[in-house]
C-alpha cells in the first residue's frame, strides 16, 4: 500500500522523523518496503504570472513573455511552450535555479542568455522539466489563486515522502490511512484526528428501492440519492495530489471522491448514475449465463458462486469487486446514488482471481472491512460531493437507507497474563496489558489476571488468545524484548539407523548421473488422462493458468514435458529425477495437521532416462538407454534390499516393457518404457525409460547385520532349462529361492544369475532356453561333489515339477 507522509500526518503527527517513523512502523508489523521523495531536488523555482506574450521576431515557434515572479522586477523570458498565454499562473525558474536531470546527483543551472537574439532572464517550466510528470505538452498551468512569488516546492507541498508498506494478510485494518494512523497513535501516544463529516442535511425524500435477497452475501447495505450535482467540477488539487501519491490516477471529481474515501477510511464504495438505473437494485447471487460489462471494459459471465447487484434490466455490479459500465458516472451525470456496503469475506474471496484480476475493493472485502462504518463513510462521501460538486439551490440530498441484515458476531477472546508472559518471555503486569489494550482501542473486562477482550468491528484478525499476545508484543516493542539464551536443554538427537534422508537419496541419484528437477504439482488435465488414465482428477478452484488446472496423481507427465523442453534446446542425452508429492483421492484419510480429509498426498521419486546410455566417446559404440539400464539404477538405489520385478501394465508404459517393483512383498513402484502412443503424441524421437517409486520404501533401509564369510572356495554350476517362451524368468528364480528356504540341502546356494536366453534351432517355436549360473559355498568346509550334485538336482527337480521346465540336452 502506498500513501503520502504529509497526508498521514494530517491524521496523526508523532514527534518522529521520516526515518524514525519508518522504523517504528516496520518493527510493529507494518513493513515499510520503500520511501520515495515526492519530487527530485530543485531550487529557486517560484509561482509566477505571465503578463504579456509577443511573437519572437526571429523564430516562429518561440514567444517573448513578460513575467512577474514576485521579485519586484518584470522579467523578459523567451518561451517555446504552445500553451503560454497572458494571465496564466505557472512555475518560473529564476537565474541561478537548479533543475533536476536524469543523472542522479547532477543539476542543470539556469543562466541569463539570449535565444535567437532576444535576452531571456529565466525559464517557464513544464512538469516534465521538474520531473513531476511525463507531461511535456506545455508549461504547467497553476490555479489563478496560486500565491505570486511563493516557492513552488512549498506551494505544491513537494517536501513530502511516499511510503510503500507491505501488509501481512491479517492486517486488513491497515489498508487505509486511518488504519495506519490508528496504529501509529497506539504506538506513540500521538493524538488521532479522525476524518469525520457531520451528517448531511436531508433536503428531499428521494430514495432508491433496494432489496437484499442474500444476507450471506451482503450483511449491510447503506445508500443515498443525491440530485442536481455538477459532474464536471474539477477535483481539488489537494485531493488530486493525495490520490496520485497513493498510486491512483485522477479521473473525475465523482470517481476521485469515491477512491479518496476508500483510501482514507478503508471502506470501498460505489457511485452510480441514478438516471441509468432501471427501477431499483437487488443484491443477490448470480445466475448462470448472466453477464456484465465492468468498468475495466471486461465482459464477464457470472453464476451462482458470484454475488451481484442488478436492476430490473441487467447486472450492474460484481458484488464487492467492481462496478458495471452501464451505470457508471460520466460528465453528463446529474443525479447519483451512493452505495456503501459490508460484503462477507467468504462471499468475495477468490471471485476476482477467478476472472484473472484483482481490485482495491476485493482486496479489502475478502480480508474484512469495518461493518459499523458504512454510514460514516456514506456521510463522508456526501460531504465531499456537496463541497466539490454541489450546486447551490439545485443539489438535493436524500435520506440514508441503511439495511442491516447479517453482521459478524464478535466473540470475546480470553487472555491470561501468565500465558502472555510465557509466550513473549518477559514479565508483564496487568496494568501494562490494560494500557496496551486501551491504546489499541480493544474493549475488555478484567477479571483478576485474565482479560476478556471483545474485538472491534474493524479487526477480523483477533480470534484466539495468541492473536492478543501478538498485539501486546507489537505495542510493547519487539526491540524491547531482551535476547536470552534458550532455557530448554539442547540435545543432539541421533538419526535412526534404519532411515535414510531425502538428501542422501538425492545425492545417490546424482551419483547415478541424474539431474534433479522441481516441477509444479498442478498439471494439465490431459496429462492425467494420458499417463494415469485418470478421468476424475482433483481440480483446482483457482488455477494460476488454464493449462495447470488439476493436481497430479503421477509425476510422469512432468518428466516427459521436461524431456520435450530439453530436446527443443538441442540436448539429446537427458537423465532427470524429481522428488515430490502426488495427490490421490482416498476416503479413508481424515483431517490432521498434515492431511486433508478425503485426499492422500504420498511423496515419490520419479526419474526418466532418454538418449545415449553414456556420453558419446571413442571407446565404446553408441547405444540408446534401455529398460535394463534403468532397472540396474533402481537396484542400486534399493541395495542391499532385494527388489522383485514382475510383469505389469500401466497406461503410461509400453505393454510389453513394464514391470512392477516389490520389496518385502509390498508393491512400491513401477518401471517401464514410455508407451509408443505417447512417444508419438509428445514428439519424442526415441522412447524414454521411466520409473516412479514411493519415497518411503527408499528411505527405509535394513540395519547391517554381521554374517560370517566363508573361507572356503565356492563352486560354480551352470544349468540350462527349456521352458515355455511365455514363462517369466522371475518366476523361475523365485522357485529356486523357495527351494533354498524349504530344503536344507540347498542352503549352500549363495547366488543365481541368468546369463543366457536362447531361442532358435533345436527348440520348438514356443520354447526358450534359459541358462543360469549357480554359486554354491559352505562356511564349514570344502564342498564335496556329491553335496553339490544333490543341491543342484534338488533345484532342477523343483522347477521341473512346479513349472514344467526340463534340462536342455
Amino acid at each position: 500500500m502506498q500513501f503520502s507522509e504529509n497526508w498521514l500526518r494530517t491524521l496523526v503527527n508523532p514527534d518522529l522523523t521520516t526515518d524514525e517513523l519508518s522504523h517504528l512502523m516496520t518493527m510493529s508489523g507494518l513493513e515499510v518496503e520503500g520511501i520515495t521523495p515526492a519530487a527530485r531536488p530543485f531550487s529557486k523555482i517560484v509561482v509566477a504570472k505571465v503578463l504579456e506574450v509577443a511573437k519572437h521576431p526571429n523564430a516562429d515557434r518561440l514567444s517573448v513573455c513578460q513575467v512577474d515572479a514576485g521579485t519586484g522586477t518584470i522579467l523578459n523570458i523567451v518561451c517555446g511552450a504552445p500553451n503560454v498565454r497572458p494571465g496564466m499562473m505557472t512555475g518560473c525558474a529564476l537565474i541561478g535555479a537548479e533543475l533536476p536531470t536524469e543523472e542522479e546527483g547532477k543539476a542543470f543551472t539556469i543562466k541569463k542568455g539570449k535565444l535567437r537574439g532576444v535576452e531571456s532572464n529565466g525559464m517557464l517550466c513544464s512538469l516534465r522539466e521538474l520531473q513531476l510528470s511525463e507531461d511535456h505538452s506545455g508549461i504547467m498551468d497553476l490555479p489563478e489563486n496560486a500565491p505570486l512569488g511563493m516557492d513552488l516546492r512549498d506551494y505544491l507541498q513537494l517536501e513530502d515522502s511516499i511510503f510503500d508498506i507491505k501488509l501481512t494478510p491479517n492486517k486488513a485494518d491497515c489498508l487505509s490511512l486511518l488504519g495506519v494512523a490508528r496504529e501509529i497513535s497506539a504506538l506513540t501516544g500521538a493524538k488521532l484526528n479522525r476524518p469525520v463529516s457531520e451528517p448531511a442535511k436531508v433536503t428531499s425524500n428521494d430514495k432508491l428501492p433496494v432489496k437484499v435477497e442474500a444476507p450471506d452475501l451482503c450483511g449491510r447495505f447503506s445508500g443515498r440519492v443525491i440530485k442536481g450535482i455538477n459532474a464536471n467540477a474539477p477535483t481539488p488539487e489537494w485531493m488530486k495530489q493525495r490520490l496520485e501519491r497513493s498510486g491512483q490516477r485522477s479521473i473525475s471529481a465523482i470517481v476521485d471522491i469515491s477512491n479518496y474515501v476508500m483510501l482514507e477510511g478503508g471502506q470501498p464504495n460505489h457511485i452510480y448514475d441514478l438516471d441509468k438505473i432501471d427501477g431499483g437494485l437487488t443484491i443477490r447471487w448470480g445466475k448462470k449465463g448472466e453477464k456484465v460489462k465492468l468498468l475495466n471494459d471486461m465482459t464477464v459471465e457470472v453464476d451462482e458462486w458470484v454475488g451481484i447487484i442488478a436492476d430490473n434490466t441487467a447486472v450492474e455490479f460484481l458484488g464487492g469487486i467492481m462496478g458495471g459500465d452501464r451505470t457508471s458516472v460520466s460528465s453528463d451525470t446529474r443525479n447519483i446514488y451512493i452505495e456503501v456496503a459490508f460484503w462477507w469475506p467468504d462471499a468475495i474471496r477468490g471471485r476476482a482471481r477467478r476472472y484473472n484480476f484483482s481490485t482495491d475493493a476485493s482486496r479489502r472485502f475478502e480480508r474484512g472491512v469495518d461493518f459499523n462504518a458504512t454510514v460514516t463513510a456514506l456521510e463522508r462521501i456526501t460531504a465531499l460531493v456537496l463541497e466539490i460538486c454541489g450546486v447551490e439551490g439545485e443539489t438535493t440530498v436524500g435520506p440514508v437507507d441503511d439495511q442491516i441484515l447479517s453482521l459478524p458476531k464478535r466473540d470475546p477472546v480470553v487472555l491470561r497474563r501468565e500465558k502472555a508472559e510465557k509466550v513473549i518471555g518477559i514479565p508483564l503486569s496487568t496494568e501494562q496489558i490494560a494500557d496496551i489494550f486501551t491504546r489499541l482501542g480493544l474493549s475488555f473486562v478484567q477479571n483478576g489476571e485474565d482479560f476478556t477482550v471483545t474485538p472491534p468491528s474493524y479487526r477480523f484478525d483477533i480470534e484466539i488468545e495468541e492473536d492478543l499476545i501478538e498485539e501486546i508484543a507489537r505495542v510493547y516493542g519487539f526491540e524491547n524484548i531482551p535476547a536470552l539464551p534458550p532455557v530448554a536443554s539442547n540435545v543432539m538427537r541421533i538419526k535412526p539407523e534404519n532411515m535414510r534422508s531425502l538428501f542422501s537419496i538425492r545425492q545417490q541419484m546424482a551419483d547415478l548421473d541424474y539431474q534433479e528437477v522441481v516441477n509444479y504439482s498442478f498439471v494439465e488435465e490431459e496429462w492425467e488422462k494420458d499417463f494415469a488414465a485418470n478421468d476424475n482428477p482433483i481440480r483446482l478452484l483457482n488455477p494460476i493458468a488454464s493449462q495447470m488446472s488439476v493436481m497430479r496423481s503421477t509425476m510422469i507427465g512432468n518428466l516427459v514435458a521436461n524431456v520435450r523442453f530439453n530436446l527443443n534446446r538441442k540436448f539429446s542425452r537427458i537423465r532427470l529425477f524429481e522428488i515430490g508429492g502426488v495427490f490421490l483421492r482416498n476416503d479413508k484419510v481424515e483431517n490432521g495437521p498434515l492431511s486433508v480429509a478425503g485426499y492422500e498426498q504420498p511423496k515419490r521419486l520419479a526419474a526418466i532416462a532418454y538418449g545415449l546410455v553414456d556420453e558419446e566417446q571413442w571407446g565404446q559404440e553408441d547405444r540408446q538407454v534401455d529398460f535394463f539400464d534403468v532397472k540396474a539404477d533402481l537396484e542400486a538405489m534399493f541395495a542391499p534390499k532385494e527388489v522383485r520385478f514382475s510383469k505389469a501394465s500401466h497406461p503410461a508404459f509400453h505393454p510389453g516393457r513394464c514391470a512392477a517393483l516389490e520389496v518385502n512383498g509390498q508393491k512400491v513402484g513401477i518401471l517401464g518404457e514410455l508407451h509408443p502412443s505417447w512417444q508419438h503424441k509428445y514428439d519424442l524421437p526415441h522412447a524414454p525409460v521411466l520409473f516412479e517409486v514411493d519415497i518411503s520404501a527408499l528411505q527405509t533401509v535394513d540395519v547391517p547385520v554381521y554374517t560370517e564369510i566363508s573361507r572356503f572356495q565356492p563352486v560354480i554350476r551352470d544349468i540350462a532349462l527349456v521352458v515355455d517362451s511365455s514363462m517369466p524368468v522371475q518366476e523361475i528364480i523365485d522357485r529356486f529361492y523357495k527351494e533354498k528356504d524349504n530344503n536344507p540341502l540347498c542352503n549352500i546356494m549363495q547366488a543365481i544369475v541368468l546369463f543366457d536366453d536362447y531361442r532358435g534351432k533345436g527348440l520348438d517355436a514356443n520354447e526358450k532356453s534359459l541358462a543360469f549360473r549357480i554359486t554354491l559355498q559352505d562356511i564349514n568346509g570344502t564342498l564335496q561333489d556329491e553335496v553339490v550334485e544333490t543341491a543342484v538336482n534338488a533345484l532342477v527337480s523343483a522347477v521341473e515339477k512346479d513349472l514344467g521346465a526340463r534340462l536342455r540336452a
Side-chain angles (χ1 to χ4, degrees):
M1 190 177 103
Q2 183 178 310
F3 57 85
S4 156
E5 181 184 0
N6 285 351
W7 186 7
L8 176 65
R9 287 187 182 272
T10 63
L11 303 178
V12 62
N13 191 13
D15 187 18
L16 299 172
T17 65
T18 299
D19 289 339
E20 290 171 342
L21 180 60
S22 168
H23 181 75
L24 175 73
M25 292 169 63
T26 298
M27 292 309 297
S28 68
L30 309 182
E31 181 184 354
V32 179
E33 289 195 301
I35 302 176
T36 309
R40 294 275 298 277
F42 58 79
S43 62
K44 295 188 72 174
I45 299 176
V46 298
V47 177
K49 184 175 184 177
V50 179
L51 302 177
E52 298 178 8
V53 178
K55 191 173 181 180
H56 194 290
N58 302 319
D60 294 337
R61 296 186 179 181
L62 297 179
S63 302
V64 179
C65 306
Q66 301 302 309
V67 178
D68 182 3
T71 60
T73 304
I74 304 302
L75 304 177
N76 191 73
I77 297 177
V78 177
C79 177
N83 67 330
V84 65
R85 67 183 187 276
M88 79 180 295
M89 304 298 291
T90 187
C92 176
L94 305 176
I95 301 300
E98 293 187 341
L99 274 64
T101 62
E102 295 296 331
E103 292 188 44
E104 194 73 34
K106 291 189 176 182
F108 176 75
T109 304
I110 300 297
K111 300 177 181 178
K112 181 186 291 188
K114 286 189 177 182
L115 290 174
R116 296 288 183 95
V118 177
E119 186 177 272
S120 183
N121 297 292
M123 185 178 83
L124 301 182
C125 303
S126 70
L127 291 170
R128 185 177 184 182
E129 286 164 337
L130 300 181
Q131 296 191 11
L132 299 177
S133 166
E134 289 300 313
D135 182 15
H136 60 285
S137 59
I139 58 175
M140 65 180 71
D141 194 352
L142 301 177
E144 294 180 1
N145 60 355
L148 186 69
M150 185 177 185
D151 189 289
L152 194 68
R153 293 190 73 89
D154 295 334
Y155 176 68
L156 296 180
Q157 297 182 7
L158 298 179
E159 301 301 335
D160 189 11
S161 298
I162 299 171
F163 277 61
D164 188 3
I165 65 173
K166 179 181 179 181
L167 294 173
T168 52
N170 65 313
K171 292 301 293 176
D173 59 300
C174 291
L175 283 170
S176 66
L177 265 295
L178 175 60
V180 175
R182 196 162 44 212
E183 285 288 302
I184 294 172
S185 175
L187 294 168
T188 63
K191 182 183 177 182
L192 178 65
N193 303 308
R194 295 178 180 271
V196 178
S197 298
E198 292 296 322
K201 183 180 179 181
V202 177
T203 56
S204 78
N205 295 321
D206 294 320
K207 195 173 180 180
L208 182 71
V210 175
K211 182 180 180 182
V212 181
E213 294 182 351
D216 56 335
L217 168 65
C218 178
R220 184 174 186 176
F221 190 94
S222 304
R224 162 177 276 164
V225 171
I226 300 180
K227 291 186 175 181
I229 65 163
N230 175 20
N232 292 309
T235 303
E237 287 300 320
W238 61 268
M239 182 178 286
K240 272 188 184 179
Q241 184 186 96
R242 290 177 178 180
L243 288 173
E244 288 170 357
R245 292 179 188 177
S246 298
Q248 294 277 353
R249 181 171 56 91
S250 177
I251 299 173
S252 67
I254 295 296
V255 176
D256 290 349
I257 290 169
S258 174
N259 289 333
Y260 181 84
V261 172
M262 179 187 67
L263 292 173
E264 181 184 65
Q267 186 73 46
N269 57 85
H270 188 62
I271 302 178
Y272 302 79
D273 187 322
L274 181 65
D275 298 325
K276 296 177 183 177
I277 299 175
D278 183 8
L281 297 178
T282 302
I283 295 89
R284 58 177 173 81
W285 293 103
K287 299 175 183 176
K288 192 167 183 62
E290 289 184 316
K291 295 183 179 180
V292 56
K293 184 180 180 183
L294 302 174
L295 291 172
N296 62 0
D297 291 331
M298 281 182 62
T299 299
V300 300
E301 184 174 330
V302 303
D303 56 23
E304 297 82 359
W305 193 62
V306 180
I308 61 161
I309 298 179
D311 62 10
N312 295 346
T313 303
V315 178
E316 304 298 347
F317 185 87
L318 208 57
I321 299 173
M322 186 181 290
D325 179 69
R326 196 176 75 88
T327 54
S328 61
V329 295
S330 66
S331 58
D332 299 325
T333 298
R334 290 282 296 159
N335 308 313
I336 61 173
Y337 182 74
I338 307 170
E339 166 250 307
V340 186
F342 168 73
W343 302 86
W344 282 93
D346 287 342
I348 304 301
R349 200 170 288 125
R351 272 67 172 183
R353 288 188 293 277
R354 174 182 182 176
Y355 299 111
N356 297 319
F357 67 84
S358 180
T359 65
D360 288 331
S362 67
R363 187 182 175 204
R364 287 163 172 79
F365 279 127
E366 64 189 9
R367 289 165 171 79
V369 301
D370 188 354
F371 50 83
N372 282 339
T374 58
V375 174
T376 303
L378 186 61
E379 293 291 358
R380 180 68 170 152
I381 296 171
T382 302
L384 290 171
V385 168
L386 294 177
E387 177 187 337
I388 298 169
C389 303
V391 179
E392 189 174 354
E394 295 184 26
T395 304
T396 61
V397 179
V400 173
D401 177 20
D402 185 25
Q403 301 184 39
I404 301 177
L405 300 104
S406 173
L407 298 181
K409 184 181 178 183
R410 314 309 280 162
D411 294 324
V413 181
V414 176
L415 172 83
R416 296 161 292 172
R417 186 195 64 79
E418 186 179 355
K419 177 69 178 291
E421 278 190 350
K422 183 177 181 181
V423 172
I424 302 175
I426 56 174
L428 290 168
S429 66
T430 55
E431 290 77 13
Q432 283 179 296
I433 296 174
D435 177 59
I436 290 172
F437 287 163
T438 301
R439 288 158 61 186
L440 287 170
L442 303 178
S443 61
F444 63 90
V445 175
Q446 185 175 348
N447 183 14
E449 293 192 342
D450 293 349
F451 293 81
T452 302
V453 179
T454 302
S457 55
Y458 54 83
R459 295 297 298 268
F460 281 73
D461 58 315
I462 298 178
E463 296 180 335
I464 58 177
E465 186 177 18
E466 284 72 13
D467 295 329
L468 293 174
I469 294 173
E470 180 186 356
E471 294 300 297
I472 294 171
R474 287 195 315 109
V475 178
Y476 183 86
F478 293 117
E479 291 178 304
N480 298 325
I481 299 174
L484 299 174
V487 295
S489 58
N490 193 1
V491 179
M492 294 290 289
R493 299 190 179 277
I494 300 173
K495 185 178 71 174
E497 283 188 277
N498 64 340
M499 285 297 292
R500 183 162 50 163
S501 69
L502 291 180
F503 175 79
S504 65
I505 294 174
R506 287 186 172 97
Q507 193 172 41
Q508 190 172 354
M509 286 296 294
D511 290 343
L512 291 170
D513 201 20
Y514 289 84
Q515 296 189 33
E516 185 175 13
V517 293
V518 179
N519 292 301
Y520 283 111
S521 296
F522 17 91
V523 298
E524 295 185 32
E525 186 173 353
E526 191 175 10
W527 292 0
E528 283 295 296
K529 293 180 180 178
D530 291 349
F531 300 118
N534 185 4
D535 293 324
N536 184 28
I538 300 170
R539 301 183 185 279
L540 293 166
L541 290 177
N542 295 296
I544 62 173
S546 58
Q547 72 273 21
M548 306 172 81
S549 59
V550 301
M551 301 301 290
R552 66 185 181 187
S553 64
T554 176
M555 294 190 281
I556 294 173
N558 293 109
L559 294 177
V560 171
N562 295 148
V563 169
R564 182 69 263 164
F565 181 88
N566 281 274
L567 287 176
N568 289 339
R569 284 149 185 81
K570 305 303 179 184
F571 290 95
S572 58
R573 182 178 182 272
I574 304 160
R575 297 168 77 89
L576 305 171
F577 79 93
E578 179 181 8
I579 295 176
V582 297
F583 303 84
L584 313 171
R585 297 184 187 276
N586 188 342
D587 295 335
K588 296 180 180 179
V589 177
E590 298 180 354
N591 274 323
L594 299 175
S595 63
V596 178
Y599 300 97
E600 186 181 0
Q601 305 174 52
K603 271 197 172 184
R604 293 180 181 172
L605 165 69
I608 190 168
Y610 177 92
L612 299 179
V613 66
D614 288 307
E615 293 285 358
E616 191 173 8
Q617 57 173 296
W618 66 269
Q620 68 179 42
E621 292 184 4
D622 292 343
R623 177 175 68 82
Q624 293 291 320
V625 68
D626 61 21
F627 177 94
F628 296 100
D629 294 316
V630 180
K631 176 175 178 285
D633 292 338
L634 263 176
E635 289 174 329
M637 289 297 297
F638 277 98
K641 283 185 178 179
E642 292 287 341
V643 185
R644 185 181 185 278
F645 296 87
S646 58
K647 184 177 179 180
S649 61
H650 190 280
F653 296 135
H654 191 296
R657 300 169 188 174
C658 175
L661 282 69
E662 292 181 13
V663 175
N664 298 329
Q666 297 290 324
K667 185 176 179 181
V668 297
I670 195 82
L671 161 70
E673 185 180 291
L674 190 67
H675 197 289
S677 298
W678 311 140
Q679 178 189 344
H680 175 74
K681 178 176 179 178
Y682 293 95
D683 195 22
L684 302 176
H686 304 288
V689 183
L690 308 95
F691 68 78
E692 187 174 78
V693 298
D694 289 333
I695 201 70
S696 57
L698 275 168
Q699 285 187 283
T700 305
V701 295
D702 294 332
V703 178
V705 178
Y706 169 76
T707 55
E708 187 178 351
I709 299 174
S710 176
R711 296 173 295 169
F712 302 100
Q713 187 174 358
V715 176
I716 306 297
R717 288 287 187 270
D718 293 344
I719 59 173
L721 299 173
V722 177
V723 296
D724 190 274
S725 59
S726 63
M727 176 71 67
V729 173
Q730 186 66 50
E731 192 170 340
I732 299 173
I733 293 175
D734 289 345
R735 186 63 189 88
F736 281 144
Y737 278 104
K738 182 180 178 182
E739 185 66 18
K740 175 187 175 181
D741 293 338
N742 296 332
N743 189 343
L745 298 175
C746 299
N747 278 339
I748 58 175
M749 187 185 82
Q750 301 299 325
I752 184 164
V753 178
L754 174 72
F755 69 89
D756 185 47
D757 183 338
Y758 172 76
R759 305 162 198 241
K761 187 177 179 180
L763 298 175
D764 292 342
N766 63 340
E767 291 182 332
K768 62 181 176 181
S769 173
L770 302 176
F772 295 92
R773 178 156 295 154
I774 304 173
T775 302
L776 304 105
Q777 191 176 30
D778 192 1
I779 62 172
N780 296 318
T782 302
L783 290 176
Q784 302 299 316
D785 287 345
E786 59 270 16
V787 175
V788 172
E789 293 303 325
T790 301
V792 172
N793 289 337
L795 293 171
V796 172
S797 297
V799 294
E800 286 179 343
K801 178 181 178 183
D802 294 345
L803 304 178
R806 71 174 190 274
L807 276 175
R808 184 178 173 189

